[in-house]
Amino acid sequence: MTVKNSSFVKSCIKTDDLPQSDLLEVAFAGRSNVGKSSLINALINRKNLARSGSKQGMTRLINYYDINGEIHFVDLPGYGYAKVSKSEMNLWGNVIENYLNVREQLYLVMLLVDIRHEPTEADRMLYEWTKAAQLNYIVVATKADKLSRSQVNQNCVMIKKNLGLPEDRKVFPVSAETKKGIPELWDEIDSYIMEDGEIND
Ligand SMILES: Nc1nc2c(ncn2[C@@H]2O[C@H](COP(=O)(O)OP(=O)(O)O)[C@@H](O)[C@H]2O)c(=O)[nH]1
Ligand SMILES: [Mg+2]
């Protein structure tokens, strides 16, 4: 998909606030600081439309972005912040799991993990929820610029094993910093969603 224009739509606190729209959604999920907002900016070629590097307040929200008036990108709340209490963690889990299960417009989930680290328990939980909801998904390993090329390949294999991905699944290494892997990731997104925002069956 060629991004001609992109804009912020709204921030939602809970799933009751989600926009009433028929546009298909691509959701970006993963730990706080994994690079969700940076990846959205890299994909749409904007510097800071999705606010990156912002602290907790902002990251609790479900942020909607309009792409060409054709699809929505959804920046989901992060998890695993060191300071988050158990009850907040449960609240996060409820919001995300609920969103994944009830949102009919949701067509594709981008599961982001940091390429430098083993997936966490929360990462695995998110993957399990995505599968249980029978959603399309792409596993993305972020911050690939932090590792050498051979380490990138090794860690993609490690992430695939750790999450228990099917043999034919690929982990997509990307860097929002250097833009490496972004065209390949767009190709993969496009294999799920066509130019006009229709579903690619
Ligand atoms: N080196 C590098 N840093 C990144 C990359 N993506 C994000 N970051 C940094 O990681 C931090 C968190 O990124 P952000 O997009 O806000 O993460 P979010 O909380 O998941 O939305 C910021 O300081 C970003 O600049 C990347 O590809 N490479
Ligand atoms: Mg963010």
Side-chain angles (χ1 to χ4, degrees):
M1 166 174 249
T2 311
V3 180
K4 291 170 224 123
N5 43 66
S6 52
S7 59
F8 173 73
V9 178
K10 73 180 286 197
S11 291
C12 318
I13 297 170
K14 45 188 178 4
T15 42
D16 298 348
D17 305 332
L18 300 179
Q20 294 189 321
S21 159
D22 295 330
L23 294 188
L24 291 181
E25 295 177 8
V26 178
F28 294 75
R31 279 193 293 129
S32 291
N33 253 18
V34 73
K36 295 177 293 299
S37 305
S38 301
L39 179 59
I40 290 176
N41 287 327
L43 285 167
I44 63 183
N45 207 12
R46 295 277 296 263
K47 274 232 155 60
N48 208 16
L49 182 66
R51 292 237 235 126
S52 69
S54 50
K55 288 281 178 281
Q56 293 172 14
M58 277 297 290
T59 60
R60 295 286 159 77
L61 301 168
I62 304 174
N63 290 311
Y64 270 74
Y65 301 93
D66 179 300
I67 315 298
N68 295 345
E70 291 171 346
I71 57 171
H72 278 143
F73 274 4
V74 185
D75 197 353
L76 292 174
Y79 51 87
Y81 230 101
K83 293 185 201 107
V84 166
S85 68
K86 187 137 198 192
S87 62
E88 279 178 287
M89 184 73 187
N90 289 337
L91 185 65
W92 166 82
N94 290 341
V95 170
I96 302 288
E97 196 182 6
N98 186 35
Y99 168 78
L100 294 177
N101 280 297
V102 304
R103 191 65 171 166
E104 287 187 3
Q105 297 89 326
L106 176 58
Y107 194 65
L108 179 60
V109 184
M110 311 293 280
L111 298 169
L112 276 63
V113 293
D114 189 315
I115 197 156
R116 296 167 295 174
H117 309 300
E118 275 201 5
T120 63
E121 176 118 28
D123 291 331
R124 283 190 292 274
M125 207 155 70
L126 191 63
Y127 172 59
E128 293 303 327
W129 289 338
T130 303
K131 275 198 305 182
Q134 297 187 300
L135 293 161
N136 297 316
Y137 64 91
I138 300 174
V139 179
V140 180
T142 63
K143 311 193 185 185
D145 56 281
K146 303 257 195 192
L147 297 180
S148 70
R149 187 190 294 224
S150 65
Q151 283 176 309
V152 163
N153 293 334
Q154 266 176 26
N155 284 21
C156 285
V157 171
M158 174 275 287
I159 288 163
K160 181 170 167 173
K161 257 198 199 137
N162 186 293
L163 288 177
L165 299 185
E167 202 45 55
D168 58 356
R169 274 277 161 181
K170 191 172 175 272
V171 173
F172 285 79
V174 297
S175 169
E177 201 86 1
T178 67
K179 310 292 190 287
K180 199 153 183 226
I182 297 296
E184 291 82 358
L185 187 56
W186 256 125
D187 286 346
E188 184 71 4
I189 295 171
D190 283 339
S191 73
Y192 290 97
I193 294 177
M194 291 196 297
E195 198 64 30
D196 54 4
E198 290 293 311
I199 292 171
N200 205 358
D201 282 321

